């Protein structure tokens, strides 16, 4: 398991892991909903060979502290900026997975001086692209019964819920499951609502169209969280590159780390 540090931000402390040369160009990796720094582990060797790789646990996720409020996408983006400033990062490329891609987009909106390149991995462009989740996820989201269902969750039920995040026979580590189990109900329930509110207010392609930042979009064709056909909407962004990956689901960095790392390394070069 990676060893990192906690950086104070508004609302708590964010857990940060760094790899690679300290004087190299910086790439910040932002995980998705219910994820953590561990979800990027397969990509680190390739990306950190000649880059300073900074991974963060969003507030309420992984080893970052939790809060009763403050899970809005813009709020999370401001905390990433605060972490970058605390680490002395002046400019960086940013890679975001799913909800992390929304946070990365908001960061580029807030700090165009900071973000030089943007890569989104299976980030749904708008609410119409969202796929309805299973019965267990709907049960946890219900008012009243939701908190009780969350307290009674088991490791096996969490693993079952995570099957929508991957396609194929992917072995999710015990620590990944433990990270989800450690989430508070507030973090678990408020984060997806915040993500849908963000893309509902304005789609990600429209937001990116207003930003002068090189953009790469990677999307698994077999994604079971977001409709991959909606990824075509990203082609409206001038100069954006779209990579659709057949046979890959919602989490390319776990399902096909070699290909994902190759695409990212070429884009970041």
């Amino acid at each position: 398991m990676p060893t990192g540090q906690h950086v104070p931000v508004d609302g708590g402390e964010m857990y940060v892991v760094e790899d690679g040369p300290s004087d190299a160009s910086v790439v910040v990796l932002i995980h998705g909903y219910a994820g953590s720094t561990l979800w990027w582990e397969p990509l680190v060797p390739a990306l950190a060979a000649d880059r300073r790789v900074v991974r963060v646990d969003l507030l309420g996720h992984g080893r970052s502290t939790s809060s009763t409020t403050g899970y809005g996408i813009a709020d999370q983006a401001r905390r990433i900026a605060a972490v970058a400033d605390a680490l002395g990062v002046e400019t960086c490329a940013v890679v975001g997975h799913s909800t992390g891609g929304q946070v990365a987009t908001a960061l580029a909106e807030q700090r165009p001086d900071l973000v030089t390149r943007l890569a989104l991995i299976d980030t749904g462009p708008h609410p119409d692209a969202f796929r309805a989740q299973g019965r267990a996820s709907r049960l946890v989201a219900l008012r009243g019964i939701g908190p009780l269902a969350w307290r009674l969750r088991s490791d096996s039920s969490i693993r079952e819920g995570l099957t929508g995040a991957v396609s194929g026979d992917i072995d999710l580590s015990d620590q990944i499951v433990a990270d989800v189990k450690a989430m508070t109900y507030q973090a678990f329930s408020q984060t997806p609502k915040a993500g849908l509110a963000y893309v509902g207010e304005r789609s990600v392609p429209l937001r990116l169209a207003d930003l002068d930042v090189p953009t790469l979009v990677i999307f698994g064709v077999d994604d079971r969280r977001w409709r991959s056909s909606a990824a075509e909407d990203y082609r409206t962004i001038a100069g954006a590159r779209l990579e659709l990956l057949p046979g890959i689901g919602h989490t390319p960095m776990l399902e096909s780390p070699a290909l994902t790392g190759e695409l990212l390394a070429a884009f970041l070069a």
Side-chain angles (χ1 to χ4, degrees), residues 71-121:
Y71 294 102
I73 299 302
D75 294 328
Q76 296 280 28
R78 279 190 287 272
R79 296 187 188 101
I80 300 289
V83 167
D85 292 341
L87 297 179
V89 175
E90 296 181 355
T91 60
C92 61
V94 183
V95 182
H97 171 237
S98 194
T99 301
Q102 298 170 353
V103 176
T105 301
L107 178 61
E109 290 178 312
Q110 295 171 9
R111 292 287 301 274
D113 62 307
L114 177 66
V115 180
T116 59
R117 284 179 174 266
L118 192 62
L120 309 182
I121 302 178

Side-chain angles (χ1 to χ4, degrees), residues 19-41:
D19 297 278
S22 60
D23 59 348
S25 59
V26 180
V27 56
V28 176
L29 307 181
I30 309 175
H31 64 76
Y33 169 52
S36 69
T37 56
L38 290 177
W39 291 66
W40 297 109
E41 198 74 17

Side-chain angles (χ1 to χ4, degrees), residues 218-234:
I218 299 173
F219 224 99
V221 173
D222 295 342
D223 192 319
R224 287 181 280 180
R225 293 279 175 87
W226 297 92
R227 302 183 194 281
S228 59
S229 58
E232 294 291 337
D233 292 354
Y234 285 106

Side-chain angles (χ1 to χ4, degrees), residues 52-63:
R52 180 184 175 189
V53 178
V54 177
R55 290 178 280 165
V56 296
D57 280 340
L58 294 172
L59 197 73
H61 293 70
R63 282 165 278 301

Side-chain angles (χ1 to χ4, degrees), residues 8 25 100 125 133 142 156 182 193 239 242:
S25 59
Q133 299 304 296
L142 291 175
S156 60
K193 293 177 182 177
L242 173 62

Side-chain angles (χ1 to χ4, degrees), residues 144-157:
I145 196 174
L148 176 61
W150 182 243
R151 288 197 298 272
L152 296 177
R153 68 204 184 284
S154 63
D155 287 5
S156 60
S157 66

